[in-house]
Amino acid sequence: MYPIIALSISGLLTLFLGFLDNKKLVFPISILFLVIALGVSFIDWNAPGLYFSEMLAVDNETIIFGAVMLISAILILCLSEGFNDFEFSQPAEYFALVQLSLIGALMMVSFENLIMLFLGIEILSIGLYVLTGADKRNLRGNEAAIKYFLMGAFATGILLFGIAMFYGAVGSFNIHVSVIDEAYLPFFWIGCTLILVGLTFKISAAPFHFWSPDVYEGAPTIFTAYMATVVKTAGFVAIFKVLYSSFSAITEFWTPMIVIMVGASLIIGNVFAVTQDSFKRLMAYSSVSHAGFMLLALVGDNEGAFGTIMFYSVAYSLATITAFGVLMKVSKHRIEKGRPYEKIDLFEGLFKNNGFLAGVLAIAMLSLAGIPLTAGFWGKFFVFSDAASSGNFTLIVIAVFMSAVAVYYYFKPIILSMKKSDGVETVVLSPLVKLIFVLTTCGTIILGIFPNLLRSIF
């Protein structure tokens, strides 16, 4: 509850920072605001409570997921270095939108009422629509923003209709349903289906993933990283809460839908990723694949699913932030047609002049591929363990096979970086950016060696 209040105040204050003559102050003050929001979130630790007429709930689990999203936002914005590379940029507006959109993400992990879920999704989404088209001179970015907005609007309409069906069936927006009249069961099924469609759009799970490659490619890289981490974490928690709270009585109804989405996400995400020459589109299809892995946790052991989603979210966020961060720092040194060059061959010969960047990129790719001694390996291991406990061996076989396919395209940047070539000219990194890369890379390795450090919380 406290971080929502803190971000509401700081988001408005950040807008007024835009009137300062010294724009460089916006960056450290905005990061300070996010750190304060992270700090005050732990005031409610071991003190669960309900707020806004019991529409929001705060407990240790929501605090942890909120902290994961806030830390991810801090790491990503630190890589931006105050948006100094954006010509004609208004950093105060961008920082304010990030802070205000985080309010929606926090609501998506703490809602107890479907109306509050809808408000959270809208607060998060509207900010993202604007941030996607932040670089107004980039026609591809403008196209991505329009596509994201239009498809997001359709998904929101579907979600709202599902919420209406849910209300018609049970007479309440509260997610903890105890009694269902059999006469209204068809409306309950329709509500479950439509809500699931609306939410899986947000996490880019197949077959509702079509927006992600274009949006990932068109948006500024810094906001693509934000979209790929914070939004996915919030979306998966929301899906888990809805399915296991509102629709726990009809598990046999929604499980086949999740199974189909898992299979489709794994196959489509990995097969299409193999053919990409754009690094951002590769990461977009990679995110579709990882959506499949995280959904796989929902058809497994209910008791361990929440902890598995939390661990997988952290592992995926650390590696993704690192990968997009390296792309952002390297691509600005190679401009083609007035835009940063973002194809995979950008990394060719990277190791020669930028060994540090090549090293952290390699570890990030290894983690995303699920190679042992990285956090990504244990994320997939926990997912497989949960799925095996409920006998979903067919999905596990598909997931393992698709993981082998993923190794091919995740190793592409690593192999190219070691290729004998003149390589990318030496990239000078600020101490802050180096620190961020060290933190994300060390986090990936530490969780890969000691996974129980995080897993034991749940």
Side-chain angles (χ1 to χ4, degrees):
M1 184 60 201
Y2 289 105
I4 292 177
I5 296 173
L7 290 170
S8 300
I9 297 172
S10 66
L12 295 176
L13 290 176
T14 303
L15 283 174
F16 287 99
L17 293 177
F19 294 106
L20 294 176
D21 293 331
N22 188 358
K23 302 294 185 183
K24 292 183 179 180
L25 291 175
V26 176
F27 174 62
I29 294 175
S30 298
I31 297 298
L32 177 62
F33 284 154
L34 289 175
V35 172
I36 291 173
L38 175 62
V40 299
S41 64
F42 288 93
I43 294 176
D44 285 325
W45 188 258
N46 288 332
L50 296 171
Y51 301 91
F52 292 118
S53 300
E54 300 185 355
M55 296 173 73
L56 281 179
V58 176
D59 54 29
N60 290 357
E61 293 176 344
T62 60
I63 290 172
I64 291 170
F65 275 105
V68 169
M69 294 187 295
L70 285 167
I71 292 172
S72 296
I74 292 170
L75 295 173
I76 292 168
L77 291 182
C78 284
L79 289 174
S80 75
E81 298 183 272
F83 302 111
N84 292 327
D85 297 329
F86 281 22
E87 295 181 24
F88 314 112
S89 68
Q90 298 294 330
E93 296 176 5
Y94 299 148
F95 281 112
L97 282 171
V98 169
Q99 291 173 57
L100 295 174
S101 67
L102 277 169
I103 297 171
L106 292 172
M107 292 169 66
M108 287 176 66
V109 303
S110 58
F111 71 95
E112 290 288 296
N113 187 291
L114 291 179
I115 294 298
M116 196 60 70
L117 169 63
F118 167 72
L119 290 175
I121 289 175
E122 286 304 286
I123 292 171
L124 175 62
S125 299
I126 290 172
L128 286 173
Y129 300 151
V130 178
L131 292 174
T132 300
D135 190 354
K136 301 177 182 63
R137 298 165 298 116
N138 182 5
L139 293 179
R140 184 167 289 178
N142 294 334
E143 178 189 348
I146 291 295
K147 284 183 178 179
Y148 195 20
F149 170 71
L150 292 177
M151 298 187 74
F154 279 113
T156 298
I158 293 171
L159 175 69
L160 270 178
F161 193 55
I163 292 174
M165 291 293 102
F166 177 87
Y167 181 81
V170 303
S172 172
F173 292 112
N174 191 287
I175 64 172
H176 300 289
V177 179
S178 56
V179 179
I180 306 170
D181 191 329
E182 289 190 8
Y184 299 109
L185 198 56
F187 296 101
F188 198 61
W189 292 338
I190 295 172
C192 175
T193 303
L194 297 181
I195 290 174
L196 191 57
V197 169
L199 290 176
T200 49
F201 170 86
K202 296 300 178 184
I203 62 170
S204 65
F208 311 109
H209 67 286
F210 294 102
W211 61 272
S212 58
D214 290 337
V215 174
Y216 274 46
E217 186 177 31
T221 304
I222 193 70
F223 299 132
T224 303
Y226 180 80
M227 195 184 307
T229 54
V230 173
V231 178
K232 251 187 170 47
T233 301
F236 274 106
V237 177
I239 291 172
F240 178 87
K241 292 187 69 171
V242 166
L243 291 181
Y244 283 111
S245 295
S246 302
F247 301 111
S248 58
I250 56 169
T251 304
E252 69 284 351
F253 173 78
W254 55 258
T255 297
M257 289 190 287
I258 296 293
V259 169
I260 293 171
M261 289 182 188
V262 169
S265 298
L266 291 172
I267 295 171
I268 293 173
N270 287 292
V271 170
F272 278 83
V274 170
T275 64
Q276 302 304 312
D277 61 356
S278 166
F279 185 73
K280 289 170 79 172
R281 292 183 75 87
L282 182 150
M283 291 296 290
Y285 283 109
S286 164
S287 76
V288 175
S289 169
H290 285 283
F293 280 111
M294 294 178 77
L295 285 174
L296 183 56
L298 298 180
V299 296
D301 177 19
N302 181 14
E303 295 181 359
F306 213 55
T308 298
I309 291 173
M310 186 269 295
F311 188 95
Y312 204 110
S313 297
V314 173
Y316 176 74
S317 296
L318 289 172
T320 302
I321 291 170
T322 304
F324 279 120
V326 173
L327 173 67
M328 185 169 58
K329 296 306 173 185
V330 176
S331 63
K332 70 179 182 180
H333 287 268
R334 181 176 173 182
I335 306 298
E336 290 195 4
K337 297 180 181 180
R339 308 301 314 161
Y341 188 79
E342 295 173 337
K343 293 189 176 181
I344 300 176
D345 58 10
L346 168 73
F347 300 116
E348 187 173 320
L350 181 66
F351 185 79
K352 180 179 179 181
N353 296 326
N354 300 274
F356 174 76
L357 287 176
V360 297
L361 176 65
I363 293 173
M365 292 294 101
L366 291 174
S367 182
L368 290 171
I371 303 302
L373 296 184
T374 63
F377 167 77
W378 289 107
K380 290 184 178 181
F381 176 82
F382 293 140
V383 166
F384 293 158
S385 297
D386 290 349
S389 67
S390 57
N392 292 287
F393 296 108
T394 302
L395 280 180
I396 293 175
V397 170
I398 295 174
V400 171
F401 181 71
M402 287 298 110
S403 294
V405 174
V407 170
Y408 170 77
Y409 63 82
Y410 282 131
F411 271 62
K412 270 186 181 179
I414 300 176
I415 295 171
L416 284 171
S417 68
M418 297 180 181
K419 191 175 180 180
K420 290 183 179 181
S421 170
D422 291 338
V424 182
E425 61 181 89
T426 302
V427 178
V428 179
L429 302 176
S430 68
L432 178 61
V433 171
K434 284 185 178 180
L435 176 62
I436 299 304
F437 282 139
V438 168
L439 290 176
T440 55
T441 303
C442 288
T444 298
I445 295 172
I446 291 171
L447 290 179
I449 299 174
F450 306 105
N452 289 330
L453 287 176
L454 200 59
R455 178 78 172 180
S456 60
I457 295 176
F458 290 92

